[in-house]
Amino acid sequence: METPTTRKVEIRPIRTEDLRLVYELEEQSFKDPFPNYFIDQLADANPETFLVAIYSGAIVGYAVIDGWSDHLHLVSIAVRAGFRRRGIAQTLLDGLFERSRPGPLRLELRRSHEALRLYMKNGFRETGIAHSYYTNGEDAIQMEKLIEKKSEILAPA
């Protein structure tokens, strides 16, 4: 879905100078924010799949996939409060899908989280429940989507 905001949003890999703003966005977006050192580790380990959304020169969102040996893991996706419901999370997800290797992509989220519809719309399916996953004892829904890459068909020489 393209909106006036998403047409002006640039999606690019994170840079070192972006980290401070990502820390702030993480703090503002989640009840249990990841610590800064963990975000640093994710950025170092996943330079192609840690993306930021830039609007008018400011970071308004980010998303990161961590590559594990047997699957990909969507660790986090966040959009600044004033920019939600404008297609930015979808644009970030699309960027991640394009940059990800083929295979299973998994995530966990609170049953109460508004992103559940976004993930369902993008082909994720519920695969289980992680009981007492969050610090307040709330369960997490476990979800998965298979990332498939289309084969290039080469014309005969």
Side-chain angles (χ1 to χ4, degrees):
M1 170 176 75
E2 191 170 292
T3 67
T5 302
T6 58
R7 280 195 297 265
K8 299 175 187 174
V9 171
E10 173 195 359
I11 303 295
R12 64 163 170 76
I14 194 166
R15 299 176 184 154
T16 303
E17 61 267 22
D18 300 330
L19 287 168
R20 183 183 55 79
L21 296 170
V22 169
Y23 304 154
E24 291 173 11
L25 183 53
E26 176 74 13
E27 286 285 328
Q28 295 165 3
S29 299
F30 300 105
K31 295 176 187 175
D32 297 322
F34 289 122
N36 296 353
Y37 75 85
F38 182 66
I39 293 171
D40 291 343
Q41 289 172 347
L42 288 169
D44 287 342
N46 304 285
E48 291 300 312
T49 56
F50 195 135
L51 305 178
V52 292
I54 310 293
Y55 178 76
S56 296
I59 292 176
V60 296
Y62 82 90
V64 58
I65 287 178
D66 193 24
W68 295 16
S69 61
D70 63 339
H71 71 280
L72 299 170
H73 190 227
L74 179 58
V75 177
S76 190
I77 186 165
V79 175
R80 193 167 303 284
F83 290 86
R84 293 180 186 149
R85 301 194 192 296
R86 296 186 189 186
I88 295 171
Q90 182 65 60
T91 304
L92 282 162
L93 266 180
D94 291 343
L96 289 174
F97 295 155
E98 288 172 15
R99 290 168 172 83
S100 296
R101 70 177 191 249
L105 173 58
R106 298 179 182 148
L107 63 87
E108 301 83 27
L109 80 156
R110 294 174 190 274
R111 185 170 298 285
S112 61
H113 200 285
E114 62 190 273
L116 182 59
R117 284 195 327 251
L118 174 70
Y119 296 131
M120 298 292 281
K121 179 178 87 171
N122 279 278
F124 285 87
R125 61 182 177 76
E126 189 173 329
T127 58
I129 301 291
H131 297 285
S132 300
Y133 184 83
Y134 295 100
T135 57
N136 68 352
E138 187 176 354
D139 295 343
I141 298 172
Q142 297 167 316
M143 302 187 85
E144 181 175 300
K145 171 188 175 77
L146 185 61
I147 301 292
E148 298 179 295
K149 300 289 181 174
K150 293 182 178 147
S151 302
E152 285 188 43
I153 298 174
L154 302 175

